[in-house]
Amino acid sequence: MAAAPVWSVDPRTGKPREHVADEATAEEIDSAVRGASAAGSGLADRTVRAALLRTAADLLDAAGDHVIEAADAETALGPVRLTGELARTTAQLRAFAEVVDEGAFLDVRIDHADGDRTPPWPDLRRWKVPLGVVAVYAASNFPLAFSVPGGDTASALAAGCPVVVKAHPDHPATSELCASVLRRAAAKVGLDENVVTLVHGFEAGVELIKHPLVASAGFTGSVRGGRALHDAAAARPAPIPFHGELGSLNPVVITEAAAAERAEQIGAGLAGSMTLGEGQFCTKPGFVLAPAGPSGDQLLTSLTTAVSETEPGVMLDHRMRNAFVAGVRERAALPGVEAPITPGAGGEHTVSAGFLTLPAELLAAKGPHDLLLEECFGPVTVVARYTSTEEISTVLSRLPGNLTATLQLAAAEADGTEPGAARLLAELTPLAGRVLVNGWPTGVAVAPAQQHGGPYPASTSTSTSVGATAIERWLRPVSYQSTPAALLPPELRDDNPLDLPRRVDGRAEN
């Protein structure tokens, strides 16, 4: 049977643009993984790895106009948004080069032999080594930063792991272009191009997670797709780590004092965050607890005004558009739910932003309104009106895990003297990987202290997919015991020839 063609599609019209590639067969997946595995030895030198990451960033910048043009044609995200995303992507590659240069991620620990302990200690030297081939499943909503040249690929290469990327079907041409840039960067620094390989197709993704030489996987996408791959990774004869970012409601709690103090500002901020990128950010605030009464009414008036000024927009593909329209229709039909601004179809190819409201008491117990506690991908949020702090606690106790949780406080609540604010922060902390106060969750800084991941279903592990510590996903610790110095890796020798940060006999050396 002939391989199925992979087409680039214009989301603005729904029409095919070009035949980009063909879906990979099982034989081609095997060849790709084996090629990546064979190429991986070239990544052993940290200097080469850092050079690869910096060269990839430079080449992506140089190809920026072509990359942005291709991505916009396939995603309708617009040149402004994509220019920012490309800058973020190349900055991320360079940031991981710095991580590699510094070497702290190796977590080198040396404990010299100590015969005076009971029982005696042998000489032990521990560091972290790369797992092997990493399968990366690209995201739909970030064709650069969470796709072929994105954080999973950058962090895996930084760890010393070759990568096989399963392209997202929404932007195959962009994926091919970015993969060619990364492979060119590899060749330029003297590496086998197969340290980065691209494949297409749903079945290819299934075959990839099952391949015995794949050592770990990173995924950004839906709960359904991610859970299927997670389960396949766990069901292998030798299970592998699966780091999936799946779905997130990203709850927001607005205190009554905050609404009374700055209702207009909060309403406008919420509107901007929930409609950003047509509501297709994984950190979109999709559920809000706002007070009943005059202050909450004023906040909703501001939200209504801001959302009504939002023009209809194009989603990433027509499948997502249709799922959004059906999803908001089902939610709006629930008893007690109102739609001050009705979300849904804005035209044949577009969607209109809106929001739904209901009394928070309808979410206090399991029932049909639980649908409102599930992510709806697109420009919509749900505002539950509470009448007491007890109602806030009850509803929060029913929420699933999230990437983010946000608390909007009044100035008088934020100074640490108001116990209610601290209690709410404590209630939000178990729900998310990143907790914000008086901010909005869309926008994820590529910073060393970042945590982009949260309790299931936000993600399938406790790791982050953004920031310096994302590299830890692709490493495993190894200890050498009583090993002659001549046989040790340079990183573990007493003279520290590479000047690495280490802990020696329990104390930081650098």
Short mmCIF file of all heavy atoms in Angstrom, two decimals, residues 285-319:
data_model
loop_
_atom_site.label_atom_id
_atom_site.label_comp_id
_atom_site.label_asym_id
_atom_site.label_seq_id
_atom_site.Cartn_x
_atom_site.Cartn_y
_atom_site.Cartn_z
N PRO A 285 -6.63 31.15 30.59
CA PRO A 285 -7.49 31.03 31.78
C PRO A 285 -8.90 30.60 31.35
O PRO A 285 -9.68 31.41 30.86
CB PRO A 285 -7.48 32.44 32.37
CG PRO A 285 -7.16 33.34 31.21
CD PRO A 285 -6.28 32.55 30.29
N GLY A 286 -9.21 29.32 31.54
CA GLY A 286 -10.47 28.78 31.06
C GLY A 286 -11.55 28.65 32.10
O GLY A 286 -12.69 28.26 31.77
N PHE A 287 -11.23 28.99 33.34
CA PHE A 287 -12.23 28.89 34.42
C PHE A 287 -11.92 29.96 35.46
O PHE A 287 -10.78 30.08 35.92
CB PHE A 287 -12.19 27.51 35.06
CG PHE A 287 -13.20 27.33 36.16
CD1 PHE A 287 -14.53 27.08 35.86
CD2 PHE A 287 -12.82 27.41 37.49
CE1 PHE A 287 -15.47 26.93 36.88
CE2 PHE A 287 -13.74 27.26 38.50
CZ PHE A 287 -15.08 27.02 38.20
N VAL A 288 -12.95 30.72 35.83
CA VAL A 288 -12.77 31.86 36.73
C VAL A 288 -13.80 31.80 37.85
O VAL A 288 -14.99 31.61 37.60
CB VAL A 288 -12.93 33.20 35.96
CG1 VAL A 288 -12.72 34.38 36.90
CG2 VAL A 288 -11.98 33.26 34.77
N LEU A 289 -13.34 31.98 39.07
CA LEU A 289 -14.22 32.14 40.22
C LEU A 289 -14.26 33.63 40.56
O LEU A 289 -13.25 34.21 40.97
CB LEU A 289 -13.73 31.33 41.41
CG LEU A 289 -14.06 29.83 41.37
CD1 LEU A 289 -13.16 29.04 42.30
CD2 LEU A 289 -15.52 29.60 41.72
N ALA A 290 -15.42 34.25 40.33
CA ALA A 290 -15.60 35.69 40.57
C ALA A 290 -16.76 35.89 41.52
O ALA A 290 -17.70 35.09 41.57
CB ALA A 290 -15.87 36.41 39.25
N PRO A 291 -16.74 36.97 42.29
CA PRO A 291 -17.79 37.17 43.29
C PRO A 291 -19.14 37.50 42.66
O PRO A 291 -19.23 38.15 41.61
CB PRO A 291 -17.27 38.35 44.11
CG PRO A 291 -16.35 39.08 43.18
CD PRO A 291 -15.71 38.04 42.34
N ALA A 292 -20.20 37.03 43.31
CA ALA A 292 -21.54 37.50 42.99
C ALA A 292 -21.68 38.90 43.59
O ALA A 292 -20.86 39.33 44.40
CB ALA A 292 -22.59 36.55 43.56
N GLY A 293 -22.71 39.64 43.18
CA GLY A 293 -22.92 40.96 43.75
C GLY A 293 -22.37 42.06 42.86
O GLY A 293 -21.84 41.82 41.77
N PRO A 294 -22.46 43.32 43.32
CA PRO A 294 -22.13 44.50 42.50
C PRO A 294 -20.70 44.51 41.97
O PRO A 294 -20.47 44.87 40.81
CB PRO A 294 -22.38 45.67 43.45
CG PRO A 294 -23.37 45.14 44.44
CD PRO A 294 -23.04 43.70 44.62
N SER A 295 -19.72 44.14 42.80
CA SER A 295 -18.33 44.20 42.32
C SER A 295 -18.10 43.18 41.21
O SER A 295 -17.41 43.46 40.21
CB SER A 295 -17.35 43.98 43.47
OG SER A 295 -17.55 42.70 44.06
N GLY A 296 -18.67 42.00 41.37
CA GLY A 296 -18.57 41.00 40.32
C GLY A 296 -19.31 41.41 39.07
O GLY A 296 -18.84 41.15 37.94
N ASP A 297 -20.46 42.07 39.23
CA ASP A 297 -21.22 42.56 38.07
C ASP A 297 -20.38 43.57 37.28
O ASP A 297 -20.37 43.56 36.04
CB ASP A 297 -22.53 43.22 38.52
CG ASP A 297 -23.52 42.23 39.11
OD1 ASP A 297 -23.35 41.01 38.88
OD2 ASP A 297 -24.45 42.69 39.80
N GLN A 298 -19.71 44.43 38.00
CA GLN A 298 -18.89 45.44 37.34
C GLN A 298 -17.74 44.79 36.57
O GLN A 298 -17.40 45.21 35.46
CB GLN A 298 -18.34 46.42 38.38
CG GLN A 298 -17.62 47.62 37.77
CD GLN A 298 -17.13 48.60 38.84
OE1 GLN A 298 -17.40 48.42 40.03
NE2 GLN A 298 -16.39 49.61 38.42
N LEU A 299 -17.16 43.75 37.17
CA LEU A 299 -16.09 43.01 36.49
C LEU A 299 -16.60 42.39 35.20
O LEU A 299 -15.94 42.45 34.15
CB LEU A 299 -15.54 41.94 37.43
CG LEU A 299 -14.27 41.20 37.01
CD1 LEU A 299 -13.52 40.73 38.24
CD2 LEU A 299 -14.60 39.98 36.14
N LEU A 300 -17.79 41.77 35.26
CA LEU A 300 -18.36 41.15 34.06
C LEU A 300 -18.70 42.19 33.00
O LEU A 300 -18.60 41.90 31.80
CB LEU A 300 -19.59 40.33 34.41
CG LEU A 300 -19.37 39.01 35.16
CD1 LEU A 300 -20.63 38.16 35.13
CD2 LEU A 300 -18.21 38.22 34.57
N THR A 301 -19.09 43.37 33.42
CA THR A 301 -19.35 44.43 32.45
C THR A 301 -18.07 44.79 31.69
O THR A 301 -18.07 44.95 30.46
CB THR A 301 -19.90 45.69 33.16
OG1 THR A 301 -21.16 45.36 33.77
CG2 THR A 301 -20.10 46.83 32.17
N SER A 302 -16.96 44.88 32.42
CA SER A 302 -15.68 45.16 31.80
C SER A 302 -15.28 44.03 30.87
O SER A 302 -14.80 44.26 29.75
CB SER A 302 -14.61 45.37 32.87
OG SER A 302 -13.32 45.47 32.31
N LEU A 303 -15.46 42.80 31.32
CA LEU A 303 -15.12 41.63 30.50
C LEU A 303 -15.96 41.62 29.22
O LEU A 303 -15.45 41.36 28.12
CB LEU A 303 -15.34 40.35 31.31
CG LEU A 303 -15.09 39.03 30.59
CD1 LEU A 303 -13.64 38.91 30.13
CD2 LEU A 303 -15.44 37.85 31.51
N THR A 304 -17.26 41.92 29.37
CA THR A 304 -18.15 41.94 28.21
C THR A 304 -17.71 42.97 27.19
O THR A 304 -17.66 42.70 25.98
CB THR A 304 -19.60 42.23 28.67
OG1 THR A 304 -20.03 41.21 29.56
CG2 THR A 304 -20.54 42.30 27.48
N THR A 305 -17.37 44.15 27.67
CA THR A 305 -16.93 45.21 26.77
C THR A 305 -15.67 44.81 26.02
O THR A 305 -15.57 44.98 24.79
CB THR A 305 -16.68 46.51 27.56
OG1 THR A 305 -17.88 46.92 28.20
CG2 THR A 305 -16.17 47.61 26.65
N ALA A 306 -14.71 44.26 26.74
CA ALA A 306 -13.43 43.91 26.12
C ALA A 306 -13.57 42.76 25.13
O ALA A 306 -13.01 42.80 24.03
CB ALA A 306 -12.41 43.56 27.20
N VAL A 307 -14.34 41.74 25.50
CA VAL A 307 -14.50 40.59 24.61
C VAL A 307 -15.30 40.97 23.37
O VAL A 307 -15.02 40.51 22.25
CB VAL A 307 -15.17 39.42 25.35
CG1 VAL A 307 -15.53 38.29 24.38
CG2 VAL A 307 -14.25 38.88 26.45
N SER A 308 -16.29 41.84 23.52
CA SER A 308 -17.12 42.24 22.38
C SER A 308 -16.32 43.01 21.34
O SER A 308 -16.72 43.10 20.17
CB SER A 308 -18.31 43.09 22.85
OG SER A 308 -17.87 44.32 23.41
N GLU A 309 -15.19 43.58 21.74
CA GLU A 309 -14.35 44.31 20.81
C GLU A 309 -13.36 43.40 20.08
O GLU A 309 -12.60 43.86 19.22
CB GLU A 309 -13.57 45.39 21.56
CG GLU A 309 -14.47 46.49 22.13
CD GLU A 309 -13.73 47.46 23.02
OE1 GLU A 309 -12.53 47.19 23.32
OE2 GLU A 309 -14.31 48.48 23.43
N THR A 310 -13.37 42.11 20.41
CA THR A 310 -12.47 41.16 19.76
C THR A 310 -13.05 40.70 18.43
O THR A 310 -14.20 40.26 18.36
CB THR A 310 -12.26 39.93 20.67
OG1 THR A 310 -11.76 40.36 21.94
CG2 THR A 310 -11.27 38.97 20.05
N GLU A 311 -12.27 40.80 17.39
CA GLU A 311 -12.72 40.39 16.05
C GLU A 311 -12.71 38.87 15.93
O GLU A 311 -11.89 38.19 16.55
CB GLU A 311 -11.81 40.99 14.98
CG GLU A 311 -11.85 42.50 14.89
CD GLU A 311 -13.20 43.02 14.41
OE1 GLU A 311 -13.85 42.31 13.61
OE2 GLU A 311 -13.61 44.11 14.86
N PRO A 312 -13.60 38.30 15.09
CA PRO A 312 -13.53 36.85 14.81
C PRO A 312 -12.16 36.48 14.27
O PRO A 312 -11.52 37.29 13.57
CB PRO A 312 -14.62 36.64 13.76
CG PRO A 312 -15.58 37.76 13.98
CD PRO A 312 -14.73 38.93 14.41
N GLY A 313 -11.72 35.29 14.60
CA GLY A 313 -10.38 34.87 14.17
C GLY A 313 -10.37 33.45 13.65
O GLY A 313 -11.33 32.70 13.80
N VAL A 314 -9.25 33.08 13.06
CA VAL A 314 -9.06 31.75 12.48
C VAL A 314 -8.33 30.87 13.47
O VAL A 314 -7.31 31.28 14.04
CB VAL A 314 -8.25 31.85 11.16
CG1 VAL A 314 -7.99 30.46 10.58
CG2 VAL A 314 -9.00 32.71 10.15
N MET A 315 -8.84 29.66 13.70
CA MET A 315 -8.14 28.71 14.55
C MET A 315 -7.13 27.92 13.72
O MET A 315 -7.04 28.07 12.50
CB MET A 315 -9.14 27.80 15.26
CG MET A 315 -10.01 28.55 16.27
SD MET A 315 -11.01 27.48 17.34
CE MET A 315 -9.74 26.74 18.39
N LEU A 316 -6.38 27.07 14.38
CA LEU A 316 -5.27 26.39 13.73
C LEU A 316 -5.71 25.47 12.60
O LEU A 316 -4.98 25.28 11.63
CB LEU A 316 -4.46 25.61 14.77
CG LEU A 316 -3.73 26.48 15.79
CD1 LEU A 316 -3.31 25.66 17.00
CD2 LEU A 316 -2.52 27.15 15.16
N ASP A 317 -6.86 24.86 12.74
CA ASP A 317 -7.41 24.05 11.65
C ASP A 317 -8.92 23.95 11.83
O ASP A 317 -9.47 24.32 12.86
CB ASP A 317 -6.75 22.67 11.56
CG ASP A 317 -6.98 21.79 12.78
OD1 ASP A 317 -8.07 21.86 13.39
OD2 ASP A 317 -6.08 21.01 13.13
N HIS A 318 -9.59 23.44 10.81
CA HIS A 318 -11.05 23.39 10.84
C HIS A 318 -11.57 22.33 11.80
O HIS A 318 -12.68 22.45 12.33
CB HIS A 318 -11.59 23.16 9.43
CG HIS A 318 -11.61 24.42 8.60
ND1 HIS A 318 -10.47 25.13 8.31
CD2 HIS A 318 -12.64 25.11 8.03
CE1 HIS A 318 -10.77 26.19 7.59
NE2 HIS A 318 -12.08 26.21 7.40
N ARG A 319 -10.76 21.31 12.05
CA ARG A 319 -11.17 20.31 13.04
C ARG A 319 -11.27 20.94 14.41
O ARG A 319 -12.24 20.71 15.15
CB ARG A 319 -10.16 19.15 13.04
CG ARG A 319 -10.43 18.09 14.11
CD ARG A 319 -9.33 17.04 14.11
NE ARG A 319 -8.02 17.62 14.33
CZ ARG A 319 -7.53 17.93 15.53
NH1 ARG A 319 -8.28 17.73 16.62
NH2 ARG A 319 -6.32 18.43 15.65
#
